[in-house]
Amino acid sequence: LRCAVAERKNLKVTLLKSRHGRRPGHAECLAGLGLRHRHQSVVVADTPENRGMISKVSYLVRVEEA
């Protein structure tokens, strides 16, 4: 049997632009992803919830498969 955790894919998300002056909902999405500073990168699980947050702030971040 394969382990479900081993099959899970991850995404590397990098914050390219500042979150200051953005809509409150967009700043909350960045906080939910764990992004605080410009050029900071985090690795998150590839889930529908994370994909939704990433799509909401897609103009602020760069996404790569990890």
Side-chain angles (χ1 to χ4, degrees), residues 4-36:
V5 176
E7 294 178 7
R8 185 174 299 177
K9 304 219 181 220
N10 292 324
L11 299 172
K12 180 180 177 185
V13 185
T14 304
L15 182 60
L16 297 179
K17 296 184 179 182
S18 175
R19 61 192 258 173
H20 296 290
R22 307 296 176 186
R23 294 180 161 212
H26 293 198
E28 290 170 1
C29 283
L30 292 172
L33 290 168
L35 293 167
R36 296 179 182 164

